[in-house]
Amino acid sequence: MRRPILAANWKMHKTGAEATAFAKAFLPLVADAGEVDIVLAPPFTGLVPLAQTLGGSRVALAAQNVNPEEKGAFTGEIAPSMLVEIGCTYGIVGHSERRALYGETDDFVARKAAALLAHGILPIVCVGETLEEREAERAFDVIGAQLRGSLAAVPDERASEVVIAYEPVWAIGTGRTATPEIAQEVHAFVRKQLAQRFGAAAEAMRIQYGGSVKPDNVDTLMAQPDIDGALVGGASLDPEQFARIAKFESSGE
Ligand code: PEP
């Protein structure tokens, strides 16, 4: 059984004080959530205040990005060991905004994922096609290539520690969600690709869906056999909405 993972990607939202206020409101709301992993990914400046507020709770901390190098002349970057020191359990890599706005390649994403694993942090590796690619019927080619490239440096024996987030770019922040059927079709494809790469370990790998996940669509998405969680942007900024998402129907069974 794969343990569901519901992760909040706050992007460039919330100061440290706002992150703390969120956590104080959020923790009581998810105290009775089911057997799920709940993760908050604030901006870098929110990591330390959140670590203090979440310490000892059931909610884990994630970074939104990392540099694969150990240290050095990389102005503005954060090394994996710095995330370990703060207490990050997860790190998001390859988000479509970083690929599109900052030119991140599959090769760079692969190095980030491997660096996180080397430091004991679980990577959440994002993949997903643009609207243009979907309309040109290239979605599966694009996602397959992203998976091969971004997972190239994952050691076989560490596969089960990697989380994949399928996030169709056309559904991110647009209010337009992939139907559960479209999402399931892609998730099944992703799992097949993972099986080709990692063999039986693919069955244990968690695949999140991301793209306008909200309280009113999470239940049907999570009911799909290959959807093991959600990576949530907009709706994760509100403690009540994200708590409802973390407590999706059937999560308590
Ligand atoms: C995201 O940024 O990963 C995301 C899925 O955003 P939203 O939920 O706002 O579409």
Side-chain angles (χ1 to χ4, degrees):
M1 251 323 256
R2 296 181 293 267
R3 187 175 161 96
I5 172 167
L6 295 305
N9 174 17
W10 285 352
K11 312 190 185 189
M12 200 168 72
H13 294 287
K14 295 194 190 293
T15 62
E18 288 166 344
T20 300
F22 177 103
K24 284 185 177 159
F26 182 66
L27 284 175
L29 298 175
V30 292
D32 63 344
E35 294 290 312
V36 301
D37 289 331
I38 304 172
V39 182
L40 300 181
F44 283 125
T45 55
L47 287 172
V48 170
L50 264 193
Q52 284 161 359
T53 318
L54 299 178
S57 81
R58 63 169 300 161
V59 178
L61 203 53
Q64 293 179 19
N65 189 20
V66 67
N67 188 284
E69 301 293 338
E70 292 289 322
K71 60 171 78 166
F74 302 102
T75 301
E77 294 291 286
I78 305 280
S81 60
M82 298 168 186
L83 302 178
V84 171
E85 183 182 46
I86 294 171
C88 286
T89 307
Y90 297 90
I92 299 171
V93 295
H95 192 280
S96 62
E97 286 154 15
R98 295 216 58 88
R99 291 176 186 268
L101 301 174
Y102 304 102
E104 294 198 2
T105 61
D106 288 329
D107 180 54
F108 197 33
V109 174
R111 290 176 54 217
K112 292 176 184 219
L116 288 175
L117 281 172
H119 286 81
I121 297 177
L122 312 186
I124 297 176
V125 180
C126 304
V127 297
E129 81 285 4
T130 63
L131 184 59
E132 198 185 14
E133 289 161 345
R134 173 155 286 270
E135 286 177 347
E137 301 191 351
R138 292 182 49 230
F140 292 105
D141 289 346
V142 168
I143 296 162
Q146 287 175 335
L147 287 169
R148 281 190 299 279
S150 304
L151 302 177
V154 172
D156 286 0
E157 68 280 9
R158 306 290 301 276
S160 63
E161 296 168 60
V162 177
V163 178
I164 306 296
Y166 166 57
E167 299 206 302
V169 177
W170 47 271
I172 295 179
T174 58
R176 189 177 161 186
T177 321
T179 62
E181 293 73 25
I182 290 178
Q184 167 56 27
E185 183 187 28
V186 177
H187 280 233
F189 168 80
V190 170
R191 198 170 308 283
K192 218 186 244 176
Q193 299 290 303
L194 296 175
Q196 279 175 14
R197 169 73 167 76
F198 298 112
E203 274 308 305
M205 294 178 74
R206 296 180 292 180
I207 309 173
Q208 297 176 304
Y209 169 77
S212 298
V213 174
K214 310 271 183 237
D216 65 4
N217 60 25
V218 66
D219 298 338
T220 46
L221 287 162
M222 289 302 293
Q224 303 302 312
D226 286 294
I227 299 185
D228 309 313
L231 183 56
V232 188
S236 74
L237 295 170
D238 176 77
E240 296 200 344
Q241 285 197 43
F242 190 52
R244 170 62 184 86
I245 289 169
K247 299 200 288 194
F248 63 92
E249 202 175 286
S250 85
S251 59
E253 286 168 10

